[in-house]
Amino acid sequence: MTLNIRQLVRENKGFLILVLGMIFMRSALADWYVVPSSSMYPHLLEGDRVIANRIAYDIRVPFTNIVLKQVANPQRGDIVTFFSPEDGTRLVKRVIGLPGDTIEMRDRKLIINGDEAQYQEVPDVPREYLTPKYELSQRVFTETLGDLHHNIIVMPDVYQSIQSFPPMVIPAGQYVMLGDNRDNSHDSRYFHFVKRELITGRVSRLMFSLDYENNYMPRLERIGARVAQ
């Protein structure tokens, strides 16, 4: 058996090196992640495969969460992958609140450090960028506050989502994450702050995307596409 294993390794050495290299790269440099839900519509769609830059913020020991060096700090508006402080599930959301910020929400509208975000409705959004399998009203707005400038979806007929919360100060080393599909996202409104060490990468580009509503056909226009921030 030992000889067979040695022979197998010898005959497939190139392939094994490639596999180990890919595992190392995924752990240390760039990970990929399947977007499983519609919480980040209209920017990330169900079926997107995103690339997360694992060294955007920290350099870590491969295969661990031990930080060797901090490279940069997450910025407001970044789309990031992280482990949920609630149950450890890996999620992808947008950084909205930074350490030291005072943040609140009133009737779906953000207020950060006393400044209110501005909302401009976006007309005629293509159906493929709206929440699938939801037939009631969906409205898209551009949310603008300082460096924060991106589109969000609001579902006026959804009442069970958290649409307001009182002012709170974000502790040092922690962040507030929200989904762009505000009435269809389980985010910091439910599990509160996210510690920096739980953030695993920044998302800025797609690998490819499969359209679940169209027999898993590839969305050709999303292959290698940049993710709008």
Side-chain angles (χ1 to χ4, degrees):
M1 178 65 71
T2 303
L3 291 177
N4 290 339
I5 293 176
R6 288 178 178 174
Q7 182 179 0
L8 184 66
V9 170
R10 185 167 55 251
E11 292 177 352
N12 296 275
K13 182 165 55 177
F15 175 73
L16 292 174
I17 291 173
L18 175 63
V19 170
L20 291 174
M22 291 179 65
I23 293 173
F24 176 83
M25 184 183 74
R26 187 169 185 179
S27 172
L29 301 177
D31 199 358
W32 49 92
Y33 173 76
V34 180
V35 177
S37 74
S38 58
S39 70
M40 282 297 291
Y41 274 64
H43 296 288
L44 295 180
L45 311 183
E46 288 185 35
D48 282 350
R49 272 62 173 173
V50 300
I51 300 171
N53 180 357
R54 289 184 61 88
I55 58 174
Y57 307 122
D58 301 305
I59 296 175
R60 305 179 188 232
V61 176
F63 311 107
T64 76
N65 287 321
I66 299 173
V67 176
L68 296 176
K69 182 180 179 180
Q70 291 188 353
V71 176
N73 291 314
Q75 299 299 306
R76 198 185 326 279
D78 286 357
I79 297 176
V80 299
T81 55
F82 62 97
F83 292 110
S84 168
E86 186 176 56
D87 58 10
T89 302
R90 193 156 65 139
L91 303 174
V92 56
K93 307 288 182 186
R94 189 181 297 276
V95 178
I96 297 295
L98 305 178
D101 281 346
T102 298
I103 185 169
E104 63 180 300
M105 182 179 283
R106 299 178 191 167
D107 297 325
R108 297 189 176 97
K109 297 179 180 179
L110 279 175
I111 302 172
I112 301 178
N113 299 325
D115 295 327
E116 296 186 11
Q118 302 300 309
Y119 295 86
Q120 179 69 43
E121 187 159 11
V122 180
D124 302 323
V125 175
R127 185 67 184 83
E128 60 264 31
Y129 291 95
L130 299 177
T131 313
K133 299 179 181 177
Y134 182 81
E135 301 303 326
L136 299 179
S137 174
Q138 299 185 58
R139 301 174 67 186
V140 177
F141 294 88
T142 300
E143 182 176 68
T144 302
L145 178 60
D147 294 333
L148 193 67
H149 183 82
H150 62 278
N151 292 340
I152 66 169
I153 292 177
V154 169
M155 300 175 175
D157 298 302
V158 173
Y159 302 103
Q160 68 268 29
S161 65
I162 296 177
Q163 299 166 11
S164 300
F165 55 80
M168 53 186 177
V169 178
I170 303 175
Q174 302 193 46
Y175 297 82
V176 165
M177 312 292 189
L178 295 180
D180 292 342
N181 195 350
R182 289 288 162 81
D183 294 307
N184 192 38
S185 176
H186 191 76
D187 48 37
S188 285
R189 291 169 293 176
Y190 301 89
F191 50 67
H192 303 299
F193 306 120
V194 176
K195 294 180 180 179
R196 179 195 172 103
E197 54 263 34
L198 294 178
I199 299 174
T200 57
R202 184 179 66 209
V203 173
S204 58
R205 191 172 291 277
L206 303 178
M207 291 180 66
F208 61 94
S209 181
L210 300 179
D211 188 350
Y212 294 165
E213 300 296 306
N214 186 26
N215 299 314
Y216 290 79
M217 291 295 291
R219 298 181 176 107
L220 299 180
E221 74 281 1
R222 295 183 73 77
I223 297 175
R226 291 192 63 83
V227 177
Q229 297 291 318

